[in-house]
Amino acid sequence: MRHLIKLELKKGNLKGYLWGALLAYGILAGFLLMIYMTEGSSQEEEVFQGYAEMLRLIDTMVRATFIIYASALISRLIIGEFRNKTMALLFTYPVSRKKLIFSKLIVVFVWTFTNIILANLAIGTLFVTVNLSTGYVDDILTAKILYQHVAYVLTHAIAASGMSLLPLAIGMRRKSVIATVTSSIFIVMIVCSNNMGFSLSSIVAIPLSLGTLGVLLTYLSFRNIERVDVA
């Protein structure tokens, strides 16, 4: 399995993935900095009431970005291979079909999880550093806030990585890239959107349930792949 994962990363051009992730980090940081700077101390009512709120907004934006990013990865690694019939060729190799498929899914899951953690770390550190200079967020960053946020990010990163597989179950029905990406945007709009300070993702049972559903539906989609004609 590890060898298959390495082949997938090599075939999919790992450098391209890395540059794509770094670009996403930059766009996210720029967008959030724009909100921070334009809505900072000049506003009567502060945008961020404290560090906990600021870091959670960063986490929500990061998860939304990488759930959609994962759908592009799924489209390239799986949906595209079925559409272009290259998957049929791949299945002629003397390797278990399930192992081939699950090596691709592991790449998507681990890539999404890792980037959510790293983006939170990088952008969160940037904002804390900037705020120490500007002081727009009038709060003290305590160890308790940090511990609670680390647990929050880890839990939601696992859930988001599972959720990122949900669009695959939808896209595989018609082997449609558009359906895959659109469904990921729809999921993000439902789960991550903020309505008067409330987001469904703040109820941890919801993202965890959707993450479990994503893994389960993906397994069911490919459980009979050894006996299915994909030509």
Side-chain angles (χ1 to χ4, degrees), residues 40 65-66 77 80 120 123 134 142 153 179 189 198 206 222:
T65 300
F66 282 98
L77 293 178
N120 265 290
I123 299 174
T134 61
T142 64
V153 168
M189 288 174 64
F198 173 76
I206 292 177
F222 295 106

Side-chain angles (χ1 to χ4, degrees), residues 7 10 30 44 62 67 207 211 218:
L7 284 176
K10 189 175 180 180
E44 291 183 3
V62 165
I67 287 174
T218 301

Side-chain angles (χ1 to χ4, degrees), residues 74-91:
I74 287 171
S75 299
R76 183 173 179 178
L77 293 178
I78 301 176
I79 303 292
E81 294 236 36
F82 276 101
R83 282 178 63 87
N84 300 331
K85 310 294 184 186
T86 52
M87 191 64 84
L89 175 64
L90 202 60
F91 284 166

